[in-house]
Amino acid sequence: MFVPAKSWPEPIRRSVAVAVAAMAFLAVAPAQADPGVRVWADTADGFAGTSGGTTGGAGGATVTVGNYADLVKYATASAPHVIRVNGTITVAPYGTEIRVASNKTIVGVGTSGQIVNGGFFLGSGVHNVIIRNLTIRDTRMTSDDPDDKEFDYDGIQLDNAHHVWIDHNTITRMNDGLIDSRKDTSYLTVSWNVLAQNNKSFGIGWTTNVTARMTIHHNWIRDTKQRNPSTDNVAYAHLYNNYLQNVTSYGNYARGATKMVLENSYFENVKDPYYKDSAAQLRQSGSTVVKSSGKQQSGGSAFTPSSFYSYTLDPTAQVPALLRTKSGPQANIGL
């Protein structure tokens, strides 16, 4: 039997009113984020976010892959795709670099996506590519090629590509470079990655032109030897909030005619933390160097990154702890 609300006892009417008001508030109140959880954007920042931006496969079909054949099928397709990697994919033949076409996002599902025994290659003219939230590992040939000279098995190689975002990956134990940005690759942002346990970490150049623009921020580079990065003939190289740890050959190196701005980075147990060639410009501010030796060399005005894009510096003292937890694949990306 229906009883009109006006006939309800006063205590019940008050209780119902409070409940209705609470439900109405919850329906419109914004969700409160956990202060320990960062919300990660799906579009690139830094130079990859300029001059048209980098959105990857946005607008194309979203597919989930768990085997090598499907990954190759969609990564090389002419149409845009968002490719979610769920699980461990072993590359064959060993050391193969999958040739990625334009307008692709390749993203690990949470922390599950792994590419083993191979990597990725972005060739001339390839553009608008996001490689994100993956572990790329293990092409090392220690017994056959201890100096990484015979086998070119990179984690990610880019030759004259543009508008590329490499974000939140762990790349480790590859036989040549973890990342090689070559031959005028430009509008590149490399952010929030772990680059670890390798001879050659991150090489940039292989060109006499001085046109490339790139942003390198919030990367944890550890237990490496050379190219951390070695930045040759880059028109605008902006490095900030990176953490270099246990580097045995050299750290941030501005080569050729590079203009480099280095801000709020943390160098721990690094030989030659940062320095430049005579023709290069390196403007440094806010960085911390501990338990390190060798060159800390700057000079020249370089450029002003904020004239190209906006960014926020994290305090240098917070960088090691921040990158130990927030670099590499994250559980809340790719879901």
Side-chain angles (χ1 to χ4, degrees):
M1 180 177 67
F2 173 72
V3 179
K6 64 183 181 181
S7 301
W8 297 350
E10 180 62 24
I12 295 178
R13 290 205 303 272
R14 284 200 302 268
S15 298
V16 171
V18 170
V20 170
M23 289 187 288
F25 172 78
L26 291 172
V28 299
Q32 299 300 306
D34 181 341
V37 176
R38 289 202 176 199
V39 178
W40 306 106
D42 290 327
T43 55
D45 60 2
F47 275 116
T50 67
S51 191
T54 302
T55 57
T62 296
V63 296
T64 301
V65 301
N67 62 71
Y68 181 57
D70 285 342
L71 176 59
V72 171
K73 172 184 174 181
Y74 292 113
T76 59
S78 58
H81 281 91
V82 175
I83 305 164
R84 302 167 72 247
V85 178
N86 191 9
T88 299
I89 294 178
T90 301
V91 173
Y94 190 98
T96 298
E97 294 174 7
I98 300 165
R99 291 184 170 263
V100 181
S102 298
N103 304 311
K104 299 292 181 296
T105 297
I106 305 174
V107 58
V109 178
T111 58
S112 70
Q114 298 198 39
I115 309 299
V116 180
N117 299 160
F120 296 102
F121 176 81
L122 280 63
S124 181
V126 171
H127 62 279
N128 194 31
V129 173
I130 297 171
I131 299 176
R132 195 174 196 209
N133 214 49
L134 295 166
T135 296
I136 303 170
R137 63 177 175 84
D138 292 319
T139 61
R140 182 177 288 171
M141 304 281 285
T142 53
S143 59
D144 299 318
D145 189 17
D147 296 320
D148 297 342
K149 294 183 181 298
E150 299 298 324
F151 298 93
D152 187 14
Y153 297 162
D154 296 320
I156 302 173
Q157 180 174 318
L158 311 99
D159 281 2
N160 201 22
H162 66 93
H163 287 94
V164 179
W165 185 27
I166 300 171
D167 177 71
H168 274 108
N169 304 288
T170 290
I171 311 177
T172 183
R173 299 186 300 271
M174 307 302 285
N175 196 71
D176 192 39
L178 300 176
I179 301 173
D180 275 357
S181 176
R182 305 167 13 127
K183 301 179 181 179
D184 307 318
T185 290
S186 192
Y187 296 100
L188 170 66
T189 296
V190 177
S191 56
W192 298 99
N193 300 285
V194 178
L195 306 178
Q197 297 177 283
N198 221 62
N199 175 16
K200 301 172 183 177
S201 176
F202 184 3
I204 304 166
W206 291 270
T207 179
T208 57
N209 300 319
V210 188
T211 59
R213 304 179 178 201
M214 56 189 65
T215 305
I216 301 164
H217 73 88
H218 289 97
N219 299 285
W220 184 10
I221 302 173
R222 63 174 178 83
D223 304 309
T224 61
K225 185 176 180 182
Q226 57 183 310
R227 301 181 183 176
N228 294 292
S230 170
T231 310
D232 189 25
N233 287 335
V234 174
Y236 304 118
H238 184 201
L239 284 64
Y240 69 92
N241 283 147
N242 297 299
Y243 178 27
L244 274 66
Q245 183 186 39
N246 302 331
V247 173
T248 59
S249 185
Y250 59 88
N252 296 162
Y253 178 17
R255 295 178 58 191
T258 290
K259 293 180 180 179
M260 178 183 290
V261 174
L262 169 61
E263 300 180 283
N264 286 35
S265 290
Y266 199 101
F267 300 85
E268 179 182 358
N269 193 27
V270 176
K271 182 181 178 183
D272 293 335
Y274 55 86
Y275 65 106
K276 70 182 193 68
D277 282 350
S278 58
Q281 299 181 42
L282 194 165
R283 179 162 59 86
Q284 191 285 132
S285 63
S287 297
T288 295
V289 178
V290 298
K291 300 179 183 177
S292 300
S293 62
K295 299 174 185 175
Q296 298 177 47
Q297 183 184 69
S298 59
S301 59
F303 67 104
T304 303
S306 60
S307 66
F308 296 97
Y309 52 81
S310 62
Y311 65 100
T312 301
L313 293 171
D314 283 306
T316 309
Q318 297 177 11
V319 165
L322 177 64
L323 295 189
R324 287 189 185 105
T325 58
K326 302 301 183 184
S327 61
Q330 300 293 297
N332 60 341
I333 297 177
L335 301 181

